[in-house]
Amino acid sequence: ARRLAVSIARTGGGRAVRALVRLPSRRLLSLVGRCVRSAPGLAPEEGPEPSGPIAVLLVDDDPDDLELCELFLGRSDRLSVATATSAAGGLDRLASEPVDCVVSDFGMPGTDGVEFLRAVRERDPDLPFILFTGQGSETIAKRAIVDDVTDYVEKGIGTDQYDILAERIRRAVD
């Protein structure tokens, strides 16, 4: 198992200080990364691009949305996409094959995306989970955050949303 850590460096007063901080979960690592990227004057160190494919489980009850998202995410050399058309199907896939990240729609019949998130967290509390939804609202976002969603991406018009989603998947996993 890989150890999750972040290297923090600071220069000032003629000397450099560097520390390696171990983190207990991928979610915390992702949150630290977001803070660093959003803070003025701070930027993550550029390093070698991580290698190896990222196994993504994409769950959406709309076959057209599922196919389109799979097509655009599949353009990336690093993303390997498996699909399911329901939360129950997604849980079956999680039980039968290794997955590095789950991407789920919110509005699905029977079990919505946040209920699916809860079921995934019971199985694997550290598995990155991205809610990718066209039903974005503050209420849904709050529910997802309370239940430890890794990230939240709203579906939009055009293809930029898939580039954003692919980048968020890479950040959540790396």
Side-chain angles (χ1 to χ4, degrees):
R2 293 190 303 185
R3 298 191 131 213
L4 302 172
V6 62
S7 176
I8 300 172
R10 183 182 72 136
T11 58
R15 63 176 237 210
V17 178
R18 187 178 192 101
L20 184 67
V21 179
R22 302 228 183 266
L23 301 170
S25 72
R26 287 182 186 199
R27 174 160 166 55
L28 191 55
L29 181 64
S30 177
L31 289 172
V32 167
R34 279 191 225 157
C35 289
V36 167
R37 282 187 293 277
S38 66
L42 294 179
E45 284 184 8
E46 295 296 323
E49 180 70 23
S51 61
I54 297 172
V56 178
L57 174 60
L58 180 60
V59 181
D60 195 321
D61 66 310
D62 183 321
D64 294 333
D65 283 353
L66 193 65
E67 183 178 356
L68 196 58
C69 191
E70 180 181 20
L71 174 73
F72 278 98
L73 290 181
R75 294 184 313 177
S76 169
D77 293 339
R78 289 212 49 222
L79 304 180
S80 169
V81 181
T83 63
T85 56
S86 67
L91 292 172
D92 289 344
R93 297 283 307 240
L94 285 172
S96 65
E97 58 193 76
V99 171
D100 297 312
C101 183
V102 175
V103 175
S104 177
D105 187 27
F106 173 77
M108 298 184 289
T111 304
D112 69 31
V114 175
E115 292 165 344
F116 178 46
L117 167 62
R118 289 180 191 138
V120 169
R121 287 286 174 253
E122 286 178 14
R123 291 176 180 222
D124 187 345
D126 294 327
L127 181 63
F129 189 107
I130 298 173
L131 200 58
F132 183 55
T133 182
Q135 298 180 1
S137 76
E138 193 172 313
T139 303
I140 293 170
K142 284 180 183 177
R143 283 182 56 205
I145 290 168
V146 165
D147 287 309
D148 202 26
V149 73
T150 307
D151 211 332
Y152 180 92
V153 179
E154 286 191 43
K155 291 179 182 177
I157 297 172
T159 60
D160 291 345
Q161 63 187 329
Y162 302 109
D163 294 334
I164 292 167
L165 179 60
E167 179 59 28
R168 300 276 181 91
I169 291 167
R170 285 189 288 274
R171 286 182 189 173
V173 172
D174 289 337

